[in-house]
Structures are given as C-alpha cells and as structure tokens.
Amino acid sequence: MSEDTSEQQASKAESSQRQPEKYGDDPNSAIDAQAAVIMQKGFLDDVIDGIKLGVIFIAFITLILAVVLGGSLPTLFPATQPVFDFVKSLPALYANLPEYVAAVKEGFPRSLEEAGWLAAVASEWFGEMLHRMPYKGCVLVFSWATYLWEAKLDIRQRDRLHEVRRPAAIAPFVSRQAYLEASAYGLDKSSLVLVKNAFMQAQTTAIIVYDMTPWMWTAVGDAMQTYLGLGEEYEITRSVAYFVVATLISTVLALPFDLYSTFVVEKKHGFNKQTGALFFSDLAKNLMLTFFLGGPILALFLWVIGKTGSQFYLYAWALLAAVQLLIIVIYPTFIQPMFNKFSPLPEGELRTAIEALASRLGFPLKKLYVVDGSKRSSHSNAYVFGFFKSKRIVVFDTLIEQCTTEEIVAIIGHELGHWKKNHVLRMLSAVQVQTFVVFFAFSHFIGEEAMYRSFGMETMPVLIGFMFFQYLYQPLDSLLTFASNVMSRKHEFEADAFSKKLGYGKELASSLIKLQIENKGNMNPDPLYSAYHYSHPPLVERLNAINDPEVAPKTE
C-alpha cells in the first residue's frame, strides 16, 4: 500500500513538472463559467444572425422572381433594370471577348506620339465622364460597400472571439484564463465598434441623402452675415467657422461612445485609470488644440489653393509635408506634455542598460524619459522620437511594472531597429506619396460644378469640395491604408529580427507574450481581419519569426 502511494506521489510530481502551475489548464468552475458567458450569443449576435438570414432570404426570393418572371422583371420592378441589362449583356460580352482583346492589342500605342494621342483621348473622355457622373449615387455606393466589407470583417473576428478553445499555437504560453479574459475584452470592444460604426454609417448616409452639408454651410454663412456683417466673399473665414462647428457636432455625437469605451469597457477589464474630470479636461485640451492649430492651418491651405491656380496640388502637398514635419517636432516636446508628465528615468540598472545599448549602436540618445501612462490606463508602451542628433527614448511606467529589465531592453532594441533601418523615414515617404496622389486627384474635381450640384450646393467652396471628394476617394483610401499596414507589419518583423540579432531574441519573445497577456490583446485573430486592420503582426506570427533559425543572433 505504501509502495502504491509512493508511486502515485511520484507520478503527480512528474505531472507537475510537465505542466507548470503558471500555465495550468485544470478544470476550474470560475473559468468554466467565464467560458460559458463567452460562448453565449447576446442580443447583438442575434441581430447579426437575423440580418444574415434576411440577406439570404432576399437573395433567394430575387432569384426565384428572376427565373419565373424573366424579361418582364424590369417592367414590374423598374429598379432592377440596370442589373437586368448588365446580366443580359454578359453572354454577348463573353462571345465578343476575343474581338475586344484583339482591338486592344491593335490600338496599343507603338510610339510616343501614339501614346500622347491616347493619353489626350483618355483625358478628354475622363473629363466628359466627370460632367455626367452621378456623384451622390456613387458616394452612397462607395460608402456602403466599404462599410459592409469592414462590418463583414468585424463579424468574422467576433465569431473567433466566441471560441473558448485556445488555438494550439498559443496554448504553451497563454493560460486558459488569460485567453478567456482577452476574448471577453475583445467581445466588449467588438460590440461597441459594431454599434458605433452602424451609427456613424447611418449618420453619413443621412448627411448625404438629405443635403445636410449645404444646409450647415448656409447656416454658418447666415450667422456670419447677421452677427459679423461678413458676406460670401469671406470664404476662408466661413470655412474655418464651418470647420469649428462641424468639429463640435462630431465630438458631441461621438461622446457617448467615447464615454462608454472609457468608463464601461476599459474600466470593466481593469485598464481605465481616468476620472471624469481628467477625461473632460483631455477633451477640452484636444478641442482647443484642434481649433487653435487646425483653424490657422486650414486657412493657410485654402489661401494657398486660391492663389496657386491649377497647379495648387504641388503647393498644397509641399505645405502639408512641412506641417507634418513641424507637428512631428513639436508634438512630443510641447503638445504631449500637456497630457502626460515626462520625468528623467532614474539612475539604476534599467537606465544603465538602455544607455549601454544606445552607445553600442551609435544611437544619439539625448534624453531618456519615463512617462506616467498609468495616469490614464494600464496599457504599456515604449517609443523613440526625434530628428538628427537629438533623439529621445520614452518608457511607460506601466511597462516598467510589467517587464524585467532585460525584456524592456529587448523592446528598446526593437524600437532602435526601426531607427537603424529608417522605417520612420520610409513611412513618411509613403505618406507623402499618398498625400500627393490625394491632392493631384482632387485637382480634377475641385472645379467640377456637377459634383457640387449633385450634393445640393449652389456655390463651390474649396473646403466643401474637398469633403465631397473624400467621399469619392474612400475606396482608394481603404486600399492605401491596407498597403500601409502591410508595409508596417513588414517593418515590425524587421525590427524584431534586429533585436534578436542584438542577442535579445528570448527576452523579446518573453516580453511580447507578457504584453499580449497584460494588455489582453487578441489571441485568436481572424486572418482576413488582421491582414486588413493590423499594423502589427499577430503574436504567433511574431514569435514564429523570432524563433526562425535562419535569423541567428550575433555571438559577440
């Protein structure tokens, strides 16, 4: 009997060694109860399921009507005429496809003169198309197409968050409880995002359909005429006033969602540290900065556009580039200290290790700060900023609490990898290219009277024209944002590899796991959702890359 007991004890001890208590996955009633809550579909999930069934039902009925009614469908339902004509033209289009391809080959320019002629013809055709384009209809289609695509991605990710079984890839280092807590946090954020996005889309649709933009432009003009005696010739002043009013309205409409996010979702999951007074103090500061910086910058842009004629896009692009660089310089030095306290990192092991790493890499470290991020949230971060020979490193106090010295140094090594590989300069260059494309494209729409008339405008103010153009530009903007995220994820992999080559691979992996757990990051990302939205690769992908034997650390 004593022998059996000894064997059982030895077996238990061996099992304990195989499965450390820290990452244990033993049955637990509290954890099981949390898993049951996460699996349970709530009211919002029922609404989503109802919409899915409704779409399937409508598609099914439409198909039946198309089969039964055939050619008489457009007569009974005139709204289906464009779709009917398109479907009817498909067989002929397919049959004549070889002829179309041959015609394209035949018309392909074989000299610079032919290319110039073709470009002139295309430009003339494009100009004519702009005169006839149904702008309001196109904007509604673009807006809803973008919204539905992103809502579909949100729902795919939400379905992942309802899964209570940990993915095998994270099971070795993320406990069941940590995984469920992250999923619960993700579901609460998902609910808020779905409701907020639906509200914002309804708001955008109402603004477009009911011509609220020209109404507000007229109201601002009437107020200026009545109280200030300023007429329509003061377009820049009127534009700045419109900007202030529109910002206040959008802030008020977004306020309930911001309050819920901060004081319900973030507080529920242990992140929020703000008081109501601090929240509204931050809001007031942000509004003041928006008005006192944004107003003059907007006025300057409108003045430049008005003075530089058809080539305005070159000057506006150069001005915006200068403004962006100025903000990068003044934000950490003058603006951010309005919200957070920056103190020199105290002397000690951490400061010595960071300074040694900076010296080793030739990084021109001028100042090393710790910031009171815990004043508002328990989320953590570290970053590098500055130009030329005046560089600074900032470490959040929450990061110091959550990670060891070696792990923080590994994170700083990652940030210095961005500096060493000129990632910031690359991203700035990409932003400048995107900005130039935006202004150049806008130059083709700024004087298009049909666009303004389509949205109910009787005049053609530049600011309002740019707002309408942004609606049209939305699909391309989504594609460029996706491309920017792809570039950013590539940079993150490169910075991780840089930190590993410094000899911090193990510490970097450990810190990423800790930060993912502490910040309750998404542990089970949907591939499409993460590819479209994430500027940083998912945790498992980063760990796999860090553990790649082809990326060998330095031996010195």
Side-chain angles (χ1 to χ4, degrees), residues 194-460:
L194 285 169
V195 173
K196 181 179 180 179
N197 288 349
F199 174 81
M200 300 301 289
Q201 181 61 24
Q203 174 186 315
T204 299
T205 302
I207 290 172
I208 294 170
V209 171
Y210 297 107
D211 295 335
M212 292 184 180
T213 298
W215 176 84
M216 195 164 79
W217 177 259
T218 301
V220 170
D222 291 344
M224 287 178 56
Q225 181 70 56
T226 301
Y227 298 106
L228 301 176
L230 302 179
E232 292 186 0
E233 66 273 16
Y234 292 91
E235 181 184 320
I236 293 180
T237 305
R238 187 174 181 178
S239 297
V240 173
Y242 179 93
F243 164 72
V244 171
V245 173
T247 300
L248 287 173
I249 292 174
S250 63
T251 300
V252 170
L253 291 175
L255 187 58
F257 300 103
D258 294 338
L259 288 170
Y260 187 87
S261 173
T262 301
F263 295 104
V264 178
V265 176
E266 295 295 307
K267 183 178 180 180
K268 174 183 176 182
H269 295 277
F271 292 120
N272 179 52
K273 306 297 181 184
Q274 288 191 83
T275 62
L278 181 58
F279 176 90
F280 284 104
S281 172
D282 286 350
L283 179 62
K285 291 176 184 177
N286 278 314
L287 286 174
M288 290 301 102
L289 286 170
T290 300
F291 297 151
F292 288 111
L293 289 180
I297 291 173
L298 173 61
L300 181 59
F301 266 100
L302 296 176
W303 181 83
V304 167
I305 291 174
K307 292 293 183 180
T308 52
S310 61
Q311 303 296 313
F312 78 86
Y313 58 89
L314 292 172
Y315 300 92
W317 169 65
L319 177 59
L320 182 58
V323 169
Q324 288 173 336
L325 291 175
L326 178 63
I327 291 176
I328 289 173
V329 172
I330 68 172
Y331 178 79
T333 306
F334 298 102
I335 297 177
Q336 199 170 9
M338 296 173 60
F339 298 89
N340 291 97
K341 180 181 178 181
F342 290 78
S343 306
L345 185 66
E347 296 291 339
E349 181 185 11
L350 178 59
R351 184 181 186 94
T352 300
I354 293 176
E355 289 176 340
L357 177 60
S359 176
R360 172 185 169 189
L361 297 175
F363 179 76
L365 178 60
K366 184 176 181 181
K367 293 185 179 180
L368 181 53
Y369 290 119
V370 58
V371 62
D372 61 340
S374 58
K375 179 180 180 181
R376 290 174 176 79
S377 172
S378 59
H379 291 297
S380 51
N381 195 12
Y383 59 90
V384 174
F385 69 93
F387 284 104
F388 308 114
K389 298 297 182 181
S390 180
K391 305 285 189 182
R392 307 178 185 190
I393 294 176
V394 176
V395 180
F396 278 49
D397 56 356
T398 47
L399 184 66
I400 296 175
E401 293 175 2
Q402 295 169 0
C403 295
T404 66
T405 296
E406 292 77 12
E407 290 168 340
I408 296 174
V409 174
I411 293 171
I412 299 300
H414 167 96
E415 297 300 325
L416 294 180
H418 288 306
W419 161 75
K420 194 73 172 179
K421 293 183 175 295
N422 293 315
H423 290 163
V424 174
L425 183 60
R426 291 183 192 178
M427 293 300 291
L428 281 175
S429 299
V431 169
Q432 298 314 314
V433 171
Q434 182 176 351
T435 303
F436 178 80
V437 170
V438 169
F439 281 123
F440 179 74
F442 179 52
S443 69
H444 292 81
F445 290 84
I446 188 173
E448 190 56 54
E449 184 177 356
M451 180 180 72
Y452 295 87
R453 301 296 183 196
S454 178
F455 290 98
M457 291 293 298
E458 296 180 356
T459 57
M460 298 169 59

Side-chain angles (χ1 to χ4, degrees), residues 157-176:
Q157 180 56 60
R158 186 177 181 85
D159 290 341
R160 285 289 192 109
L161 293 170
H162 276 298
E163 297 176 6
V164 295
R165 187 181 296 276
R166 290 173 300 167
I170 67 169
F173 48 82
V174 176
S175 68
R176 185 183 178 209

Side-chain angles (χ1 to χ4, degrees), residues 457-529:
M457 291 293 298
E458 296 180 356
T459 57
M460 298 169 59
V462 174
L463 174 64
I464 303 302
F466 189 71
M467 291 173 58
F468 293 153
F469 168 74
Q470 283 184 305
Y471 288 138
L472 292 168
Y473 182 74
Q474 188 175 8
L476 181 58
D477 182 64
S478 296
L479 290 175
L480 291 175
T481 300
F482 168 72
S484 176
N485 285 338
V486 170
M487 180 184 292
S488 176
R489 290 195 296 269
K490 180 177 181 293
H491 290 169
E492 293 302 318
F493 282 126
E494 291 176 355
D496 284 348
F498 182 84
S499 184
K500 178 182 178 180
K501 288 180 179 180
L502 292 175
Y504 299 117
K506 181 180 178 181
E507 292 79 6
L508 180 62
S510 175
S511 66
L512 291 176
I513 294 170
K514 278 188 180 180
L515 294 180
Q516 187 81 0
I517 294 173
E518 292 289 342
N519 293 322
K520 298 182 181 179
N522 187 358
M523 307 282 190
N524 189 18
D526 174 76
L528 269 181
Y529 180 89

